[in-house]
Structures are given as structure tokens and as C-alpha cells.
Amino acid sequence: MSEKKIPYKIYLTEDEMPKQWYNMRADMKNKPAPLLNPGTGKPLTAEELSPIFCEELVKQELDDTTAFVEIPEEIREFYKMYRPSPLVRAYCLEEKLQTPAKIYYKFEGNNTSGSHKLNSAIAQAYYAKKQGLKGVTTETGAGQWGTALSMACSYFDLDCKVYMVKVSYEQKPFRREVMRTYGASVVPSPSETTEVGKKILAEHPGTTGSLGCAISEAVEVATKNPGYRYVLGSVLNQVLLHQSVIGLETKTALDKYGIKPDIIIGCAGGGSNLGGLIAPFMGEKLRGEADYRIIAVEPASCPSFTRGTFAYDFCDTGMICPLAKMYTLGSGFIPSPNHAGGLRFHGMSTILSQLYHDKMMEAVSVEQTSVFEAAEQFARVEGILPAPESSHAIRAAIDEALKCKETGEEKTIVFGLTGTGYFDMVAYEKYHDGLMTDEIPTDAQLKESFAKLPKIG
Amino acid sequence: MSEKKIPYKIYLTEDEMPKQWYNMRADMKNKPAPLLNPGTGKPLTAEELSPIFCEELVKQELDDTTAFVEIPEEIREFYKMYRPSPLVRAYCLEEKLQTPAKIYYKFEGNNTSGSHKLNSAIAQAYYAKKQGLKGVTTETGAGQWGTALSMACSYFDLDCKVYMVKVSYEQKPFRREVMRTYGASVVPSPSETTEVGKKILAEHPGTTGSLGCAISEAVEVATKNPGYRYVLGSVLNQVLLHQSVIGLETKTALDKYGIKPDIIIGCAGGGSNLGGLIAPFMGEKLRGEADYRIIAVEPASCPSFTRGTFAYDFCDTGMICPLAKMYTLGSGFIPSPNHAGGLRFHGMSTILSQLYHDKMMEAVSVEQTSVFEAAEQFARVEGILPAPESSHAIRAAIDEALKCKETGEEKTIVFGLTGTGYFDMVAYEKYHDGLMTDEIPTDAQLKESFAKLPKIG
């Protein structure tokens, strides 16, 4: 191989790590629409949010003017345990594809939670601790968020109650055990520990649960128990703020070597990873300082951006959470059992929705089998076994690199590799055995779902 | 927290990464005893070994005079994809223990194989490819070695046949799927694909297999198929040579900050990790340039060093492999079902055995429940969920740090964190549920096993 000036992995020193998060909203001319109280139809106030979220996080949720927010020293110390994450030059993938494109990926999987979720979990746990709370509650589906939160709570000695969708609790005992190792109590949802859980069990005996139901249980426990608050791993503005550490590190690493990306690609479920990765780049774009192609990649089975509608909708299937203006498939939309659990959300971050609506970014949807094909190709040359969610970004990055091969363009592509797939081997097995299918919603299904959207705004 | 001059993680630059492996044998006055042909009782020659191992590896196996061996550029390129591994200062663990000791660990788990095994797998695959071979065969128990080898073979486009102990094949489908993702064919052992497999199945229908049987099948396939060789992930001299990259990186990282360790600790199964970690330090000790306490940690259920005997013995339970002079519990010894699968080997590397015999290092044995206690304590403060094998070293490191707390000594402790425990959650679950037991062999059991040792040398 030829001489390489850019190393395989660019690591920042601890001194170069970000000391502030970046809040895209400050530079947005069209601010994301506010969350609405589903009862009154009016914007939620700090007072209404504070029984659910702790004070500092309510402030972050509502603040759309402060561009830079200090990262508290305690959080920066924790970040040093698993950050900076490497920005990897995908030399082997480039060679395999025989593309003139230069491909980089920001790898967030080198921690026990296996994903970027830890970046926000530690922040949310810190503010809860600082407020003198006893603990936090949350829901988890596949378990990455629950794992990240249990690690964060263990570090700050906070109680952590995780409501885990019953079917996942039973099918993913390993994830459950990781959370227990970090001292979290993991309850299969629906459970007898809450009123809403009891009600659902009475109405639907034998149900295997849903994320919407787990959210309801976690919120009930947080609001009924003094000293507890509820925390969430995606969608919220505060989460995108914390996740900006991904993009800030990426930008610093690229700047060190004088690299300016042409295309930035991230998978999009609720938006936590994508919003974090693109933050400083979008900032430059919003301020007119630079231009980038920014691409959100979503599963064809749950295509909020590419086939959803921009409207106020409930954030949860149980319709108890606030209303958010976002690209949505309808809160009643049930995506086919796509294995990328982290991308099965019917809606999307309000920030990203507004940016997409304003044509500041693009979106593509990809089918599951082609995603696993890309995942396997990537694993074989780059070594890392990627999470199904992350592999959506790999698919799009490979497609862009192949376009460069055709045109001969030496574009620089950066994508987010959000995590590892070690707990997703059931999906890989289906792919290997040829049992994986692509199920895409019909237009009629979506039309029916849109008809049920709340009539607001 | 106070100001810290030493970062949480010390990373070498790519330029600082080792360009040569170090061969401890060159500096040993008492060389390890040669492998013997079990038929003739005479030292094995290169000619006898070359149908089994590829040529360059036979040379490395037998060479006890060359101190430094060039790492081929192709291997160094691959190393750059997942190395240098970080040397981590365990600030949070130190604080938790309230010890004046300074604790460092070399973390080898940040790659998809989840352990240090990849360091030798890529070297063995490279030499096989260079010799123009079609593929390699091996056995795997828990699956870490098989995973590492499948990754290495995928990179060099070599065929990879893994004989996986049937009980593991069935109980660890995730590991199997990871290997399949990298294109390996994974066969449950015993199988109908070999003569020895058929014989064992006929004699013991319904057997769940053993490592000894899987070795026999892998060796048979390698020697009967033109263009194939057998590879092994531990015990052998060549493996310790490749693994010296761990210790060399560790020493360079410590030297950068002027740190001289007092105690170096590693877990010991066949010796691949321990032999690699201690290599350059042991070199200094052998040459009289420095002194270090070096501690091997083994499970009380399989205590080769601390309760074994130093004698010639078979390397496999099937008694088809060469005889090695080592600390052994007897090739017929069956350890209790300890979950640290990687430490269940009855024998030990001949290099490490000679060094231990010459009192160049110490050994301690630890019980499984205390190992998982240490693992959980470590995970909660340092974030990383450790493999059960690695956790033996954590246990010993914590014990030494607690001794420092009593005496007030500010010792510097370095230990090897060989891997992550993501595929070992069944063991963690047993620990959480209070179902884990410590089963230690009785003196009578060991006496009976020693009586069956071959009468040689």
C-alpha cells in the first residue's frame, strides 16, 4: 500500500475534546415548533415539564437561542473514559470498492453500551444527581438506551428503573443482564408495578408489550415517586444538544488534517445520532459559512422523512406524551418487524424535521436486505461488526462512494457508525439464512394512518 | 477531581507502534524444553511440523535465539485498524478503592473478536496466505479464537473452517453467527466431516463434544486437504511471539510518561495474553536491566501453575498432539464448569512454564465468585464490562491495590484487560442470581490425574 499521511484512526487528545455542546437551534432562522400540551393545545411551559424532567434539562429543552452550552467538568471526566471516539479512515473499504472517494466514519461503538447513547445518558444522569434526585426511570426496547443509562446511573450512584418491552426482555436476556450488572432494576413491561401497566394487563392479558406502554409506565413511576424523573434517549432537543459532542469531535479531527467533507451521512430513527453528528456542520451551513450535502438514512419500512407528513403528532403510541411538530407516519403506525429497532420510531426530532422541511438536508430510505449486505461487506474489510441501525448509513455511504467510482469524483464522505451489532446476531442469522424480508408500507396504509393525526396547528 | 497529568487513555501514534515482535526465548538462559514427538519421544523437527503448520510459523515455533522478529507490513497495516489499543489509567477504580496505588490496564477488547486473539490470528492468516495456501482449520470453544481467525481470514481472503465444540455451537449461536458474517464455515464438533469425528460419534452417540475432539477434527482436515494448515490461538511459542505486541505497546506508552511499573498482572489459560503482556518487561528482567513483580492469575478450578506439576504432557485431551514440558494438571483433567472458558486449559505455555519454574514470575489462583465480584465492581466504575477471563486479572489487581491501601505504598500496577464479556452474560446472570459456585479440585483428584502422565523426560 502507498504512503498515507492520514492515519487509519484520528484520535483527539484530551485537551482537544469539546468543552461545550453546540445547540443548532440558536442558528436556525425557522425555529423548531414548540411541544404542545395535548390537553390545552398550547406550548408546554417549564412548569409543566418540570415534574417529568429535571430542571436543567427542561431549560435545555426550551432554550433555542444559546448556541454553546458548557459541558460540566464531571461529564467531561466521564467522557474521557470512552471518548474521544476515533474518526476512522476507511482505507480498506475504499480499496474494496475501488472508489476515488475518501470515506471516514466516526465510530461510537467502543463502549459497553455499544452505541452513542451514552453521550446523553451521562448528561441526563448528571443533572438528575446535581438536582439531588434519588433516581430516574426510562423505557427501553432493544436495550441500548437502557444499558447506557444504567452505566451512567451506576457512575453517579443514582437509582435506575428501566421498563423493558416484555418481548425484548424475554428475547434479549443478555442486554437485561448487562443492565443488571450496572445495578439497574429491569422490569418487563407491561407490569403490575404501575396503574397503567395493570390496566393494560387486564385489558390485554398475555400482551408482549410495546414501547408506548413502557413509556407510560416509566413516566407514571417518575411522576408518582418523589425524587424521580423520567429520561429519554432520543427525539428531544436536549438529547441532540448532548449528542453534538459527536459532530464537534468529528469536525475538530477533520480540521486537524485540513479535510473538508462533501457529504455527511447518518442513520435517522428519532434523530439523536444524526442530529449530533451533523450539528457543527449544519451550524456552518445555517450561518452561510460553508456548504455540505447532509443525508439522513432511514429504513424503507419506517420512512418518516421520505414518506411521512410534517404535522403535529403524539410522540408515543399511547398518546399520553406531548405533541411535537415533526415528520411522522402517524403515532398509530406500526412498522414491520424491521430488525433495526432503533429506527422504528414513527416520528422524528423536531429540530431535524424543521431542517428537512427547510431543505437544509436530504433523506433517503433503504431496504433491510441491502442494509445487511452493506453491513457484512463493511465488517469483512473494516473489521467492525456494525449495528443494523448504523448499517443504514454504511449502505448510503457505499452507494455514494460507488457513484464517485462512476464519475471519477474524489469526494470526501463522512458517516456515523453509531454502534456495534453484538446483540443483534439474530438479525444477522436471518440474513445469512435468507429469511430476511423487506416490508414497506403501502400508500393506502400511510393514508389511513395520516387520517388519524390530531387536528392541531 | 484534581489535575491529572496522565490522560485517562494513553494512545500511541501509528509511528510509535511496534515494528518488531519480541521473542523472550532469546534472552532465557534456560530455554523452554522442546516439543516431543509422542511416537518417538524425540524433539519435533521442522519437517515433522510442516504438514501441520505453515513454514514461517514452524520457523517461529522453533527459533529460540532471534530476539526481534520483523512484523510484516501487511500485518502492521491490519494492526492499525484496531490498534494501538489504549493503556488506560483506572482513575475511577483507584478512587473507588481509595488506594494510593496507581492502576493501569491495557485494554485489548476494542475489536469485534472482543479480545487479544486477533493479534495472532492475523499473523497466522498472513503467513498462510503468503505461502499460497487455500485456507486454515482450527477449533474453538467459547468462540473468541474462532471469531478472531474468521476476521483475519476474511481480510486475506482465505478459507476458514472452524470446528466448534457442539455444546458451544448450540449454546452460543451469536458467536457462530459472527463467524459466519466473516465468511467462516462453522462445523459443530464432533461431526460427520472427519474420520475421527465419525468414530467418536459412533462410540458416543449424542456427545456434546470437547475441545480435544475439535482439535483432532481440525488437524485431520488440515493434514488431509492439500493447501490447508492447522492454526492454534494459544500455548504455542509463535502465539506468544505475536502477542508480544501487547507488551511492547504497553511499555512504549509507559515510557512516554516516564512510568515504571512495580507489578504486572495477567490472567493465564494457555498463556497467550500473559506471555504477550509481560514480554518486554520479562526481557529486561532476564537481562538484569530491571526488576518487576510479574503475577499470573488462574482460576482455582483449573490451577495449572499453583497446583500443577512441571512435566511432559499431551497438549490435548485426545492425546494426539505433541508432548510439551509444562505445568500441567494432566491432559485427562476435566475442570469444573468454570465460565472463564479461555482459562480451562489443563496445561500452560512451555515458555511461561520454564519462567515460572525459574522463579521469574509468581502465580495466584482465585475463585470464580470473587472474580465476578471484581468484574462487576470494575464495570460499574470503569464502564467496561470485562470478560470472565480478564476479570481474573482485575481480581488480583484490586487485591494488590488494597494491600497498598493498608501499607500506604504508591505502587504502580499494570494489568491486562484481555477482552469484553458481551457474549458471557449467561455467566453474569448466574452470578446475579446467586447460582455461581466455586469448584476446586481435591488433592486426591490431582494425584490421580498426575499418575496418568506420560513417562517421559
Side-chain angles (χ1 to χ4, degrees):
Chain A
M1 294 183 199
S2 61
E3 200 190 37
K4 283 156 194 162
K5 286 183 192 163
I6 312 285
Y8 275 75
K9 287 177 264 122
I10 307 176
Y11 277 111
L12 304 183
T13 64
E14 290 185 1
D15 290 342
E16 293 168 326
M17 288 171 67
K19 293 179 181 61
Q20 299 175 314
W21 291 303
Y22 168 63
N23 179 7
M24 282 187 280
R25 287 169 288 171
D27 287 309
M28 288 169 73
K29 264 183 230 162
N30 300 325
K31 306 288 183 193
L35 295 175
L36 301 185
N37 180 323
T40 65
K42 287 189 182 160
L44 276 166
T45 62
E47 288 68 36
E48 288 172 302
L49 285 169
S50 60
I52 304 172
F53 302 120
C54 72
E55 285 158 32
E56 194 64 30
L57 293 169
V58 169
K59 231 170 86 182
Q60 293 180 356
E61 192 61 31
L62 299 177
D63 181 356
D64 57 12
T65 54
T66 309
F68 291 96
V69 177
E70 213 64 33
I71 308 177
E73 200 196 334
E74 291 84 346
I75 297 175
R76 286 196 283 124
E77 288 296 315
F78 186 88
Y79 277 171
K80 286 180 194 167
M81 289 212 293
Y82 71 101
R83 308 197 69 81
S85 69
L87 180 70
V88 187
R89 173 73 183 267
Y91 282 117
C92 298
L93 180 62
E94 291 170 19
E95 198 171 299
K96 179 80 183 176
L97 300 175
Q98 291 287 302
T99 174
K102 294 173 181 69
I103 309 174
Y104 294 84
Y105 55 92
K106 181 71 170 167
F107 179 43
E108 292 287 316
N110 269 353
N111 70 74
T112 290
S113 82
S115 83
H116 65 294
K117 295 281 179 182
L118 197 51
N119 301 331
S120 183
I122 193 65
Q124 297 193 49
Y126 166 76
Y127 291 117
K129 185 72 181 181
K130 203 182 155 203
Q131 194 174 318
L133 299 177
K134 279 188 221 156
V136 292
T137 70
T138 200
E139 76 291 333
T140 201
Q144 281 179 320
W145 166 246
T147 306
L149 189 68
S150 67
M151 291 172 69
C153 287
S154 150
Y155 183 76
F156 284 125
D157 203 16
L158 271 176
D159 189 34
C160 180
K161 290 189 202 301
V162 180
Y163 283 84
M164 188 172 187
V165 178
K166 193 181 271 173
V167 60
S168 296
Y169 182 91
E170 282 159 6
Q171 287 180 357
K172 296 207 165 187
F174 291 179
R175 279 275 191 211
R176 183 186 74 208
E177 282 310 312
V178 176
M179 290 185 257
R180 283 178 78 194
T181 303
Y182 288 94
S185 63
V186 187
V187 183
S189 168
S191 75
E192 297 281 352
T193 67
T194 64
E195 292 309 313
V196 63
K198 282 182 207 164
K199 186 160 168 266
I200 291 167
L201 284 171
E203 285 168 10
H204 306 94
T207 175
T208 55
S210 73
L211 213 47
C213 165
I215 293 176
S216 309
E217 291 202 82
V219 171
E220 180 185 321
V221 172
T223 49
K224 281 196 179 166
N225 288 281
Y228 282 80
R229 290 295 183 282
Y230 168 73
V231 295
L232 182 65
S234 191
V235 186
L236 296 174
N237 299 333
Q238 57 186 270
V239 175
L240 266 72
L241 177 71
H242 307 148
Q243 294 294 358
S244 69
V245 70
I246 304 173
L248 291 162
E249 279 187 9
T250 303
K251 185 142 192 342
T252 305
L254 290 169
D255 286 348
K256 268 177 92 162
Y257 289 88
I259 305 158
K260 192 186 164 296
D262 298 294
I263 308 174
I264 300 158
I265 298 171
C267 61
S272 70
N273 150 66
L274 182 69
L277 175 67
I278 67 174
F281 304 99
M282 184 59 86
E284 289 190 329
K285 200 166 168 171
L286 288 164
R287 296 189 301 271
E289 297 164 6
D291 197 18
Y292 304 98
R293 267 189 75 200
I294 294 174
I295 307 175
V297 193
E298 56 186 17
S301 59
C302 193
S304 327
F305 271 139
T306 52
R307 297 178 65 202
T309 185
F310 189 45
Y312 264 108
D313 193 10
F314 290 96
C315 287
D316 62 322
T317 46
M319 302 192 186
I320 58 160
C321 284
L323 293 162
K325 189 165 180 194
M326 57 187 178
Y327 279 86
T328 178
L329 300 166
S331 67
F333 176 77
I334 308 282
S336 76
N338 186 314
H339 287 285
L343 305 180
R344 296 189 67 210
F345 185 57
H346 68 277
M348 182 59 65
S349 141
T350 59
I351 297 175
L352 296 182
S353 293
Q354 188 64 48
L355 290 168
Y356 181 65
H357 188 69
D358 292 343
K359 306 209 177 341
M360 297 299 290
M361 52 187 278
E362 307 165 30
V364 294
S365 76
V366 289
E367 294 187 5
Q368 185 169 226
T369 48
S370 79
V371 165
F372 275 83
E373 188 191 39
E376 190 163 281
Q377 189 173 19
F378 178 85
R380 288 187 182 189
V381 291
E382 289 290 320
I384 299 166
L385 186 96
E389 290 86 351
S390 325
S391 303
H392 285 68
I394 297 175
R395 173 75 272 163
I398 289 178
D399 290 345
E400 290 296 332
L402 291 175
K403 280 183 209 162
C404 287
K405 187 179 177 177
E406 277 180 36
T407 62
E409 288 172 291
E410 289 188 26
K411 287 188 182 164
T412 296
I413 300 168
V414 174
F415 73 89
L417 189 73
T418 54
T420 51
Y422 307 146
F423 292 90
D424 298 291
M425 296 319 296
V426 172
Y428 273 93
E429 186 173 15
K430 274 199 179 169
Y431 174 70
H432 294 147
D433 293 343
L435 301 174
M436 183 168 278
T437 55
D438 296 308
E439 285 164 52
I440 299 165
T442 63
D443 288 339
Q445 267 177 300
L446 292 182
K447 202 177 157 190
E448 195 188 321
S449 185
F450 294 156
K452 293 180 195 152
L453 283 170
K455 306 287 174 276
I456 289 164
Chain B
M1 293 184 200
S2 61
E3 199 189 39
K4 283 155 193 164
K5 284 184 194 163
I6 313 284
Y8 275 77
K9 287 178 263 123
I10 307 176
Y11 278 109
L12 304 183
T13 65
E14 289 184 1
D15 291 342
E16 293 169 326
M17 287 172 68
K19 293 179 181 59
Q20 299 175 314
W21 291 304
Y22 168 63
N23 179 8
M24 281 188 282
R25 287 167 289 170
D27 286 310
M28 288 169 72
K29 264 184 229 162
N30 301 324
K31 306 286 183 195
L35 295 175
L36 301 184
N37 179 325
T40 65
K42 286 187 182 163
L44 276 167
T45 63
E47 290 68 35
E48 288 172 302
L49 286 169
S50 60
I52 305 172
F53 302 119
C54 72
E55 285 159 31
E56 195 64 30
L57 293 169
V58 169
K59 231 172 86 182
Q60 291 180 357
E61 191 62 30
L62 299 176
D63 181 355
D64 57 12
T65 55
T66 308
F68 290 96
V69 177
E70 213 65 31
I71 308 177
E73 200 197 334
E74 290 86 346
I75 297 175
R76 286 195 283 124
E77 287 296 313
F78 187 88
Y79 277 171
K80 285 179 195 167
M81 288 213 293
Y82 71 102
R83 308 198 67 80
S85 68
L87 181 69
V88 187
R89 175 73 183 268
Y91 283 116
C92 298
L93 181 62
E94 290 170 18
E95 197 171 299
K96 178 80 182 176
L97 299 175
Q98 290 286 304
T99 173
K102 295 173 181 65
I103 309 174
Y104 294 84
Y105 55 92
K106 180 71 169 167
F107 179 43
E108 292 288 315
N110 269 353
N111 70 75
T112 290
S113 82
S115 83
H116 65 293
K117 294 281 179 182
L118 197 51
N119 302 330
S120 183
I122 193 65
Q124 296 192 49
Y126 167 76
Y127 289 118
K129 185 73 182 178
K130 202 182 154 202
Q131 194 174 318
L133 299 177
K134 279 188 223 159
V136 292
T137 70
T138 199
E139 78 291 332
T140 201
Q144 279 178 321
W145 167 246
T147 305
L149 189 67
S150 67
M151 290 172 69
C153 287
S154 152
Y155 183 77
F156 284 125
D157 201 17
L158 272 176
D159 188 36
C160 179
K161 290 188 202 299
V162 180
Y163 284 83
M164 188 171 186
V165 179
K166 193 180 272 173
V167 60
S168 296
Y169 182 91
E170 284 159 3
Q171 288 180 356
K172 297 208 165 187
F174 290 180
R175 280 273 191 213
R176 184 185 74 206
E177 283 309 313
V178 176
M179 290 184 259
R180 283 178 79 194
T181 302
Y182 287 94
S185 63
V186 187
V187 183
S189 169
S191 75
E192 297 281 353
T193 67
T194 64
E195 292 308 314
V196 62
K198 284 182 205 163
K199 187 161 169 263
I200 290 166
L201 284 171
E203 284 168 12
H204 305 93
T207 175
T208 56
S210 72
L211 213 48
C213 167
I215 293 175
S216 308
E217 292 202 81
V219 171
E220 181 185 319
V221 173
T223 50
K224 282 195 177 167
N225 288 282
Y228 282 79
R229 292 295 184 282
Y230 169 73
V231 295
L232 182 65
S234 190
V235 185
L236 296 174
N237 298 334
Q238 57 187 268
V239 176
L240 268 71
L241 176 70
H242 307 148
Q243 294 294 357
S244 70
V245 70
I246 304 172
L248 291 162
E249 278 187 9
T250 303
K251 187 146 192 335
T252 304
L254 290 170
D255 286 349
K256 267 177 93 162
Y257 288 87
I259 304 160
K260 194 185 162 294
D262 298 294
I263 309 174
I264 300 158
I265 298 171
C267 62
S272 70
N273 150 65
L274 182 68
L277 175 67
I278 67 174
F281 303 99
M282 183 61 86
E284 289 190 330
K285 198 167 170 171
L286 288 164
R287 296 188 301 270
E289 296 165 6
D291 198 17
Y292 304 99
R293 269 186 75 198
I294 294 173
I295 307 175
V297 192
E298 56 186 17
S301 58
C302 193
S304 327
F305 271 141
T306 50
R307 296 178 66 200
T309 183
F310 190 44
Y312 264 108
D313 193 10
F314 289 96
C315 287
D316 62 323
T317 45
M319 301 192 186
I320 58 160
C321 284
L323 293 161
K325 190 166 180 193
M326 57 186 177
Y327 279 85
T328 178
L329 300 165
S331 67
F333 176 78
I334 308 283
S336 75
N338 186 315
H339 287 283
L343 305 179
R344 296 190 65 209
F345 184 58
H346 67 277
M348 182 58 66
S349 143
T350 59
I351 296 174
L352 296 182
S353 292
Q354 188 63 49
L355 289 168
Y356 181 66
H357 189 69
D358 292 343
K359 305 209 177 348
M360 297 298 291
M361 51 188 276
E362 308 166 28
V364 294
S365 76
V366 288
E367 295 187 6
Q368 185 169 226
T369 47
S370 77
V371 165
F372 275 83
E373 185 191 43
E376 190 162 281
Q377 188 172 20
F378 179 83
R380 290 187 182 189
V381 290
E382 290 291 321
I384 299 165
L385 186 96
E389 291 85 350
S390 326
S391 304
H392 286 69
I394 297 174
R395 174 75 272 164
I398 289 178
D399 290 344
E400 290 295 332
L402 291 175
K403 281 184 208 160
C404 288
K405 187 178 176 176
E406 276 181 36
T407 62
E409 287 173 291
E410 289 188 27
K411 285 187 183 166
T412 296
I413 300 168
V414 173
F415 72 89
L417 190 72
T418 54
T420 50
Y422 308 146
F423 292 90
D424 299 289
M425 296 319 297
V426 172
Y428 274 93
E429 186 173 15
K430 274 199 179 170
Y431 173 69
H432 294 146
D433 293 342
L435 301 174
M436 184 169 277
T437 55
D438 297 307
E439 284 164 53
I440 298 165
T442 62
D443 287 339
Q445 268 176 300
L446 291 181
K447 202 176 158 191
E448 195 188 322
S449 184
F450 294 155
K452 292 178 196 155
L453 284 169
K455 306 287 173 277
I456 290 163

